[in-house]
Amino acid sequence: MLKTKYEYNFYSFYDHTGMEQHFEKMAAQGWLIEKLGYFWRYRRIEPQALRFSVVYYSEASEFDPTKPSEGELTFWDYCAGAGWQIVTQRDDTHIFYNEDLDAVPIETEAVVQVETMERAKKGYVLSNTITVACMLPTMLYLQVSQLRRDPVAFLADGYDLTMML
């Protein structure tokens, strides 16, 4: 019997409720999330009903040399006091589970939850957008120069034409 399982992450990082429901379904099938990334890694557990919470902690950073930081440890202690156990975390995304299906949620205010998510992901999305925006003129220049050099070959190749668009 397999002890680990890998699954491609099809969820947006803004879809915390979808991820929570997916983790609950996987726990009922006997799989507990162990590592986040492009591929999620699960480990085998006894099938059980668990409640999950995906929480964004905006003070966490992938560049922080002390992982987890003091603030994260304090945050985890508060969550543990309410019965929530940390399963895994990647950068500012933390996954908790609770065996009590009626446990008080970690985040109870929807407005605060959205603001925290926005703060946590703003740098991530903004840096990727800036990178793409800086690369776009260079890519466009290369495509136009290819078109000027050999227009027949450029227009005959669907890939080049698609890249231009």
Side-chain angles (χ1 to χ4, degrees), residues 22-31 45-48 50 52:
H22 182 72
F23 295 147
E24 289 168 5
K25 184 179 89 176
M26 294 300 287
Q29 295 173 6
W31 295 103
I45 61 169
E46 286 293 319
Q48 56 187 309
L50 296 175
F52 283 84

Side-chain angles (χ1 to χ4, degrees), residues 49-77:
L50 296 175
R51 184 168 177 204
F52 283 84
S53 182
V54 177
V55 181
Y56 303 99
Y57 185 73
S58 61
E59 283 79 32
S61 171
E62 62 183 303
F63 303 111
D64 190 358
T66 59
K67 288 200 176 210
S69 66
E70 287 286 325
E72 285 178 288
L73 291 174
T74 304
F75 175 62
W76 293 355
D77 286 341

